């Protein structure tokens, strides 16, 4: 099978770094029945299965058509038809094929049934939405409103989506919003963090396992894809997926079936895949760490979320949202402990660059609420690194985090140099690990990646200082 050389036609067209057009891939299959024609339209499908059994996307009631007769999928920007070892064969323009490219207007013959293939791609100009939110995504910035316009078009389809962006930009929130706005909203939404599961368990977690397939497999277990049947699978930190597992994920995307560890029977699954990464997947492909064919199969629609520092006008809106919906700010009678943030505190917040993005902002709001002595967040309630950064010299310090910062430690000159240095380094390591875990909501993989150290070494440091992810 040829290797694709370009992304799928369902894609965003960028000019000067901003999305300007969205091309939606559509195709129609016209089933010819004498003088009548039944038209079946398929929007944004990675794969279309055709056959006599009810689990196909297009069911053909014909004794000469096999239960699972053939499959259409996109490859390198074109439609490819593959026969699935059918009894009576699959034909394109009267020529029997095992695999062949489809051109608009061509005929497909399955047994005695005839279909016409019609491609009807549609291109839309991206005009920023006039809304300030899409499902659970909040923001009025033009970059965000452009994303809303894209999501309004692709969410109702089954298009595979890859969400890119820095840690903390809200990739999972976008994935959930896509799911809630789709036809699968009543189905399950399964989250799988490719960087948080031990390497020896990833395959079992994704695809399931049979009883006795390995030590500890005391019973048969479904994987994430089976449990998400009829819904959406969200693959977080996709760039962390092991190279040897990538072909198996590609198989799921192409054939919509999984094979459990230790199993021999393929199991059909009906899922939509949304993935997220903070890595540059194109660079990962060039470096040989990510399969090119999987990259193109996944990159049907690629969304790039802007960091919070590029949309600071949304910060007041986000803070109000967190105060209104955060459990940490709810009273027993359903009211709010804190209702607003003061102008002076907001000014300090807006001056900060938010390297941890929306997640860091949420953590800051939760912390400030716990310190607040009134129904308003004041400067004194902000973390020191935000409140102090631009404070005039005459102002008094705000709350100081528990424990001295490493750069504020005074050397213990009463001890030998080696002991004093070890004490300083230990304090720095402990504070550093705890701070990163707080900023990443206890996610060890994210914290280790932000620290640019191996996850195993990060865990070793946690164990050394008795730190838990909680």
């Amino acid at each position: 099978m040829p290797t694709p050389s370009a992304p799928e036609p369902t894609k965003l067209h960028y000019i000067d770094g901003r999305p300007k057009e969205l091309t939606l891939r559509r195709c129609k299959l016209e089933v010819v029945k004498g003088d009548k024609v039944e038209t079946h339209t398929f929007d944004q499908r990675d794969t279309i299965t055709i056959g006599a059994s009810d689990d196909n996307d297009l069911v053909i009631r014909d004794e000469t058509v096999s239960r699972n007769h053939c499959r259409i999928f996109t490859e390198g920007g074109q439609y490819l038809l593959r026969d699935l070892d059918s009894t009576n064969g699959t034909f394109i323009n009267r020529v029997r094929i095992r695999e062949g490219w489809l051109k608009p207007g061509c005929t497909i013959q399955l047994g005695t049934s005839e279909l016409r293939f019609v491609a009807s791609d549609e291109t839309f100009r991206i005009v920023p939405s006039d809304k300030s939110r899409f499902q659970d995504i909040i923001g009025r910035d033009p970059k965000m409103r452009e994303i809303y316009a894209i999501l309004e078009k692709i969410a109702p389809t089954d298009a595979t989506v890859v969400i890119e962006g820095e840690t903390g930009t809200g990739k999972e929130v976008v994935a959930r919003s896509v799911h809630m706005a789709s036809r699968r909203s009543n189905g399950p939404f399964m989250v799988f963090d490719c960087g948080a599961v031990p390497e020896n368990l990833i395959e079992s977690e994704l695809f399931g396992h049979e009883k006795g397939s390995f030590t500890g497999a005391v019973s048969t277990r479904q994987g994430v894809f089976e449990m998400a049947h009829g819904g959406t699978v969200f693959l977080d930190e996709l760039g962390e997926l092991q190279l040897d597992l990538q072909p198996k994920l590609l198989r799921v995307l192409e054939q919509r079936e999984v094979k459990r560890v230790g199993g021999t029977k393929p199991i059909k699954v009906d899922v939509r895949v949304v993935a997220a990464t903070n890595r540059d997947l194109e660079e990962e492909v060039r470096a040989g760490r990510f399969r090119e064919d999987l990259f193109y199969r996944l990159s049907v629609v690629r969304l790039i979320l802007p960091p919070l520092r590029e949309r600071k006008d949304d910060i007041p809106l986000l803070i109000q949202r967190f105060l209104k919906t955060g459990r940490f700010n709810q009273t027993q009678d359903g009211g709010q402990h804190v209702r607003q943030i003061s102008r002076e505190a907001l000014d300090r917040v807006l001056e900060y660059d938010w390297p941890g993005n929306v997640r860091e902002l949420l953590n800051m709001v939760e912390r400030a609420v716990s310190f607040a002595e009134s129904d308003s967040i004041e400067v004194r309630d902000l973390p020191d690194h935000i409140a102090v950064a631009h404070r005039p010299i005459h102002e008094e310090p705000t709350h100081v985090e528990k424990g001295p910062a490493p750069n504020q430690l005074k050397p213990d000159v009463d001890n030998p140099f080696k002991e004093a240095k070890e004490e300083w380094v230990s304090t720095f390591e402990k504070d550093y690990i705890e701070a990163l875990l707080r900023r990443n909501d206890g996610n060890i993989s994210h914290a280790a990646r932000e620290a640019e150290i191996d996850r195993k070494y990060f865990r070793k440091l946690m164990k050394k200082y008795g730190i838990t992810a909680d």
Side-chain angles (χ1 to χ4, degrees):
M1 183 184 297
T3 301
S5 57
E8 305 291 353
T10 303
K11 60 185 178 181
L12 290 170
H13 303 272
Y14 287 86
I15 301 175
D16 298 328
R18 300 291 291 276
K20 297 302 176 185
E21 289 182 345
L22 170 67
T23 301
L24 292 180
R25 160 136 287 193
R26 278 198 184 101
C27 78
K28 296 178 182 179
L29 291 172
E30 298 176 344
V31 183
V32 181
K33 294 184 176 181
D35 295 334
K36 296 181 179 180
V37 176
E38 290 182 0
T39 301
H40 301 265
T41 302
F42 298 92
D43 293 332
Q44 301 303 116
R45 291 289 185 94
D46 297 323
T47 302
I48 303 169
T49 57
I50 307 172
S53 63
D54 291 334
D55 58 355
N56 287 285
D57 298 312
L58 176 57
V59 179
I60 305 293
R61 303 297 185 188
D62 184 336
E63 292 181 355
T64 64
V65 173
S66 298
R67 289 178 57 81
N68 298 295
H69 199 104
C70 62
R71 176 182 293 115
I72 298 173
F73 56 93
T74 53
E75 190 71 63
Q78 301 181 61
Y79 288 95
L80 187 65
L81 176 65
R82 179 180 296 165
D83 182 76
L84 300 178
D85 297 324
S86 63
T87 301
N88 294 312
T90 302
F91 298 77
I92 297 178
N93 292 337
R94 309 292 179 184
V95 177
R96 185 166 183 167
I97 57 95
R98 178 177 294 277
E99 194 174 83
W101 300 105
L102 295 174
K103 300 296 182 183
C106 71
T107 60
I108 302 170
Q109 187 174 342
L110 317 177
T112 59
S113 292
E114 184 176 297
L115 293 76
R116 280 197 296 264
F117 171 78
V118 180
S120 56
D121 296 348
E122 190 173 356
T123 298
F124 301 90
R125 183 169 180 79
I126 300 299
V127 177
S129 171
D130 57 0
K131 301 175 182 176
S132 60
R133 64 179 296 176
F134 179 87
Q135 298 292 335
D136 287 341
I137 315 170
I138 305 294
R140 295 193 185 99
D141 184 271
K143 295 188 184 71
M144 297 304 297
R145 291 190 288 113
E146 285 176 347
I147 290 175
Y148 303 161
I150 296 166
L151 293 178
E152 287 168 1
K153 294 292 185 182
I154 66 168
T157 73
D158 273 342
T160 301
V161 182
V162 173
I163 308 165
E164 301 179 27
E166 297 178 7
T167 297
T169 47
K171 296 186 286 292
E172 183 173 341
V173 175
V174 174
R176 286 186 183 275
S177 297
V178 168
H179 172 72
M180 289 188 291
S182 75
R183 65 182 181 87
R184 300 173 177 272
S185 58
N186 292 327
F189 179 82
M190 301 297 297
V191 180
F192 183 82
D193 190 334
C194 299
V197 179
E199 294 180 0
N200 61 323
L201 294 179
I202 289 180
E203 184 174 2
S204 171
E205 291 291 321
L206 278 175
F207 311 122
H209 64 254
E210 297 291 349
K211 180 180 179 179
S213 56
F214 55 85
T215 303
V218 296
S219 62
T220 297
R221 185 179 186 277
Q222 290 184 325
V224 167
F225 278 94
E226 281 187 76
M227 290 188 285
H229 186 76
T232 303
V233 171
F234 174 52
L235 299 176
D236 198 8
E237 300 305 332
L238 179 68
E240 304 298 320
L241 188 65
Q242 294 170 256
L243 200 58
D244 61 338
L245 287 179
Q246 292 177 20
K248 296 181 180 181
L249 176 57
L250 181 62
R251 175 186 175 87
V252 176
L253 295 173
E254 285 187 342
Q255 302 185 16
R256 296 302 173 183
E257 60 185 31
V258 297
K259 193 178 291 185
R260 294 173 182 165
V261 176
T264 56
K265 180 183 177 182
I267 301 168
K268 287 188 174 293
V269 291
D270 173 25
V271 297
R272 181 187 195 164
V273 175
V274 180
T277 179
N278 58 12
R279 294 194 180 194
D280 184 336
L281 288 185
E282 289 185 273
E283 180 57 38
E284 295 295 296
V285 170
R286 286 191 289 269
R289 292 187 292 267
F290 202 86
R291 288 178 62 106
E292 184 181 35
D293 49 4
L294 178 58
F295 170 72
Y296 287 126
R297 179 68 64 199
L298 286 164
S299 300
V300 178
V301 176
R302 295 171 66 194
L303 294 176
I304 302 173
L305 300 186
L308 188 56
R309 62 182 173 274
E310 293 182 6
R311 58 180 190 109
K312 286 189 175 182
D313 287 347
D314 286 340
I315 288 178
L317 193 66
L318 288 165
I319 291 175
Q320 287 303 319
R321 176 70 176 174
F322 297 153
L323 290 175
K324 184 177 180 180
T325 62
R327 291 184 180 179
F328 56 84
N329 192 37
Q330 292 180 359
T331 61
Q332 291 184 345
D333 60 359
Q336 296 176 226
H337 292 290
V338 175
R339 296 186 174 277
Q340 61 186 350
I341 181 170
S342 71
R343 180 70 254 179
E344 188 178 6
L346 182 59
D347 288 343
R348 302 286 172 85
V349 167
L350 292 173
E351 289 170 349
Y352 183 60
D353 273 342
W354 300 102
N357 294 294
V358 179
R359 181 185 293 126
E360 185 183 5
L361 178 65
L362 173 59
N363 291 342
M364 183 280 294
V365 173
E366 183 173 357
R367 176 196 182 279
V369 166
S370 68
F371 277 110
E373 298 174 355
S374 66
D375 67 349
S376 176
I377 295 175
E378 304 294 341
V379 173
R380 64 176 178 270
D381 305 320
L382 302 177
D384 204 49
H385 64 282
I386 297 175
V388 174
H390 302 278
R391 180 195 297 130
I393 296 176
H394 65 272
E395 285 192 26
E396 292 296 321
T398 60
H399 296 296
V400 178
E401 296 285 355
K402 184 179 180 181
N407 60 0
Q408 294 175 338
L409 287 176
K410 294 182 179 180
D412 187 357
V413 294
D414 293 329
N415 284 334
F417 171 78
K418 184 178 180 180
E419 292 180 13
K421 180 182 177 182
E422 288 178 353
E423 181 182 347
W424 192 93
V425 170
S426 294
T427 302
F428 164 76
E429 288 180 341
K430 183 175 184 297
D431 289 348
Y432 184 81
I433 297 299
E434 287 179 337
L436 273 184
L437 282 171
R438 282 196 300 271
R439 190 156 79 181
N440 288 279
D441 288 340
N443 189 306
I444 298 173
S445 296
H446 292 178
R449 192 172 303 113
E450 192 173 337
E452 297 185 4
I453 61 178
D454 184 76
R455 189 170 74 245
K456 292 180 180 177
Y457 181 63
F458 195 94
R459 287 183 180 276
K460 183 179 178 180
L461 288 174
M462 289 174 61
K463 184 176 181 181
K464 177 180 179 182
Y465 298 110
I467 301 170
T468 65
D470 296 336

